[in-house]
Amino acid sequence: MKIVALIGSLRTGSTTMKAAKVAIDAAVAAGAEVEIFDLRERPLPMYDPDDENKYEDENVKYFVELMNNADGFILGSPEYHNGISGVFKNALDFVGYNQFAGKPVGLVASAGGAVATNTLNQMLTILRSLHAYVVPQFGSVGYTDSFTEEGKFTNEKSQQRFEQIGLSVVNLVKAMKQSAEVK
């Protein structure tokens, strides 16, 4: 089972990445192979629908192929000005229905304030339009959340919530594969 994690933060020491990593580690512990597509290491050009060569860039080719082969996703974005990050939205513009339809997705967001509700809602709206199955557990990291040196939340309830995101994606992928085998 292949899960792709796409985190829309370029910040070193990103809170979004730390939170997503809790979900990713839970998915790995449940048997998934998870690859993180790092937008800092593999930057994507600005999406231009009129550019006939937009899929020729090596990072774009790799990204689209990776997304094509995924069974599920863990997506995360920081909340910038009450919305998803530009780099996250730009990455999603290179993919769409073909990559997400019928596949499980877990959502993670972080905010400089208390919660990243607007970012989670925007991500949910985008994924719903792409016919993805967004798992019901969302994860929002606020300014009061902190992490241990080992990368775990200091708050046990937050740790459990974010672990559940990864587990839910894995469990839904497994259930969907079993259902497909029965048919």
Side-chain angles (χ1 to χ4, degrees), residues 1 3 26-28 30-32 34 104 135 165-175:
M1 164 185 334
I3 294 176
V28 169
V34 180
V135 298
I165 294 166
L167 290 173
S168 292
V169 172
V170 169
N171 289 339
L172 188 51
V173 168
K174 286 179 182 177

Side-chain angles (χ1 to χ4, degrees), residues 61-84:
K61 283 182 189 178
Y62 184 82
F63 176 65
V64 172
E65 187 65 22
L66 185 66
M67 300 295 274
N68 282 338
N69 293 322
D71 296 307
F73 304 92
I74 295 172
L75 304 179
S77 177
E79 186 161 290
Y80 294 153
H81 306 298
N82 287 316
I84 59 176

